[in-house]
């Protein structure tokens, strides 16, 4: 025995399948992939738009928005110092 | 030592290609009887014969996390670094599913991001069943496209940490990749599957033209 020979005990069949069932299952997976990809793209686009918007603001406007959103310049350094 | 990387092999991602498989898994492979008995002195040509005999893919299984033959051959490929043409031939072949996955996984490990997308994405159209060995040692049925999708989207697959792959969007922006054409569009199947997600847009377009 070649040690890895346990590979050959009752392998599940991967042939003798009807193509239609396989194809429709694949179509569903493919659509899910396209959907996931599109959602990711939308996310990136949204983020890019937000960055662009902030870049076009004046310092005063940014400071005001930071205050409104509760953001601090430089971030919270925490207790460990 | 027999486990040394081929002297002619170049570095991949700035390191010895064999380091792409973690040391702990690599040493398990070196200790495995399949590696010792069947992988010794393999060349790119004789490796093909071994790959053709594969009956499943997978990473490690069982209590001792034994490596699969698939893993042994993958490490062997990293060790001997076959020509890119050979790897591409592995990927393009239609007859042997497991050879294709072996080539695809190797490409995912050593290829550049553009190459990876270029060669792996077309395989998302392949919906054949493949056997995958789960960590408990049982054989599960999965599909070629699911395996390829896992390789493209996960950072850990077949029990190996895959090198970082940039998202497709970021490669499309600087025009390093064309937009992906789904297998559905190529088969003109989208109209059949309207209503489910992306089909809607296509349908709208058709209604416009029919007026």
């Amino acid at each position: 025995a070649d040690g890895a020979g346990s590979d050959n005990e009752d392998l599940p069949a991967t042939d003798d399948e009807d193509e239609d069932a396989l194809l429709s299952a694949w179509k569903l997976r493919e659509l899910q992939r396209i959907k996931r990809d599109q959602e990711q793209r939308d996310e990136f686009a949204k983020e890019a738009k937000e960055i662009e918007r902030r870049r076009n603001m004046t310092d005063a406007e940014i400071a005001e928005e930071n205050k409104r959103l509760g953001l601090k310049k430089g971030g919270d350094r925490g207790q460990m110092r | 030592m027999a486990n040394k990387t081929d002297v002619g092999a170049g570095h991949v991602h700035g390191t010895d290609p064999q380091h792409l498989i973690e040391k702990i898994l690599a040493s398990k492979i070196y200790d495995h009887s399949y590696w010792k008995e069947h992988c010794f002195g393999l060349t790119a040509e004789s490796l093909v014969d071994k790959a053709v005999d594969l009956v499943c893919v997978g990473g490690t299984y069982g209590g001792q996390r034994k490596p699969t033959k698939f893993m042994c051959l993958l490490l062997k490929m990293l060790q001997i670094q076959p020509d890119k043409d050979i790897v591409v031939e592995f990927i393009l072949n239609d007859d042997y599913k497991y050879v294709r996955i072996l080539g695809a996984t190797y490409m995912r490990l050593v290829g550049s991001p553009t190459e990876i997308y270029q060669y792996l994405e077309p395989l998302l159209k392949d919906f054949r069943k493949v056997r995958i060995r789960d960590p408990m040692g049982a054989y599960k049925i999965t599909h070629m496209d699911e395996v390829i999708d896992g390789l493209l989207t996960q950072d850990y697959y077949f029990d190996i940490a895959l090198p970082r792959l940039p998202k497709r969007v970021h490669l499309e922006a600087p025009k390093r990749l064309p937009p992906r054409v789904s297998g559905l569009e190529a088969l003109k199947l989208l109209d059949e599957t309207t209503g489910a997600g992306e089909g809607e847009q296509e349908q709208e377009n058709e209604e416009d033209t029919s007026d």
Side-chain angles (χ1 to χ4, degrees):
Chain A
D2 63 352
S6 55
D7 274 0
N8 294 326
E9 30 165 90
D10 51 11
L11 288 168
T14 50
D15 306 321
D16 65 324
E17 257 307 308
D18 71 308
E19 284 272 304
D20 289 349
L22 274 179
L23 185 65
S24 51
W26 172 78
K27 273 194 258 178
L28 193 65
R29 289 196 299 273
E30 182 72 11
L31 281 171
Q32 276 165 349
R33 278 196 287 267
I34 296 175
K35 186 159 171 265
R36 182 193 62 198
D37 187 57
Q38 193 53 47
E39 279 166 1
Q40 240 171 36
R41 272 159 208 271
D42 292 348
E43 194 109 317
F44 282 126
K46 217 170 110 188
E47 209 176 294
K49 226 168 131 186
E50 173 70 8
I51 292 171
E52 193 55 33
R53 189 183 67 83
R54 291 267 295 187
R55 279 188 185 151
N56 288 330
M57 282 159 54
T58 63
D59 285 355
E61 281 170 339
I62 289 177
E64 194 198 317
E65 194 180 64
N66 284 355
K67 213 166 137 192
R68 191 158 47 79
L69 297 172
L71 298 171
K72 268 187 235 155
K73 200 179 174 189
D76 185 11
R77 298 222 187 141
Q79 302 294 314
M80 301 287 281
R81 263 208 269 183
Chain B
M1 272 270 296
N3 293 335
K4 250 172 116 176
T5 307
D6 189 275
V7 279
H11 278 191
V12 173
H13 300 306
T15 181
D16 183 328
Q18 284 201 78
H19 293 171
L20 292 171
I21 287 184
E22 289 96 334
K23 184 168 172 68
I24 189 144
L25 176 53
S27 31
K28 274 176 193 156
I29 294 173
Y30 296 149
D31 280 343
H32 197 277
S33 52
Y34 181 74
W35 174 269
K36 290 179 182 170
E37 289 171 24
H38 295 271
C39 298
F40 181 79
L42 282 189
T43 60
E45 290 90 54
S46 50
L47 188 131
V48 180
D49 301 333
K50 297 286 177 195
V52 164
D53 289 338
L54 285 174
V55 292
C56 71
V57 293
T60 58
Y61 63 94
Q64 305 136 18
R65 308 266 71 130
K66 276 206 297 181
T68 56
K69 289 181 182 178
F70 175 80
M71 269 296 126
C72 296
L73 292 178
L74 186 64
L75 184 64
K76 195 73 203 180
M77 284 179 81
L78 291 169
Q79 192 181 41
I80 60 178
Q81 199 170 64
D83 285 345
K84 199 184 144 200
D85 302 349
I86 297 179
V87 179
V88 170
E89 211 44 60
F90 273 29
I91 295 175
L92 294 183
N93 100 80
D94 262 329
D95 300 327
Y96 300 100
K97 298 180 276 193
Y98 303 106
V99 175
R100 172 172 276 187
I101 297 181
L102 185 65
T105 313
Y106 181 76
M107 181 59 93
R108 174 68 181 83
L109 284 177
V110 306
S112 71
T114 34
E115 275 174 348
I116 294 172
Y117 280 111
Q118 183 193 340
Y119 289 110
L120 262 58
E121 267 182 346
L123 305 188
L124 289 173
K125 290 176 198 150
D126 188 343
F127 51 79
R128 283 177 296 176
K129 282 184 172 183
V130 290
R131 299 186 198 96
I132 188 164
R133 196 140 205 204
D134 76 356
M136 300 309 293
Y139 296 100
K140 292 270 166 65
I141 296 281
T142 181
H143 302 88
M144 180 74 86
D145 59 297
E146 287 177 287
V147 173
I148 300 298
D149 188 53
L151 287 173
L152 284 174
T153 54
Q154 315 274 317
D155 39 18
Y156 198 76
Y157 207 75
F158 291 141
D159 296 309
I160 34 179
L162 302 172
R164 167 143 172 72
L165 181 69
K167 291 262 181 291
R168 212 172 193 296
V169 195
H170 300 312
L171 293 174
E172 278 173 27
K175 296 267 186 291
R176 283 171 61 191
L177 267 185
R180 172 162 123 79
V181 179
S182 163
L184 287 176
E185 283 168 46
L187 287 170
K188 297 269 181 245
L189 286 169
L190 267 177
D191 356 14
E192 284 176 36
T193 47
T194 43
E198 295 302 301
E200 290 159 357
Q201 269 189 338
E202 242 62 22
Q203 200 189 25
E204 275 171 24
N205 293 343
E206 279 185 11
E207 277 167 10
D208 289 344
T209 49
S210 62
D211 286 340

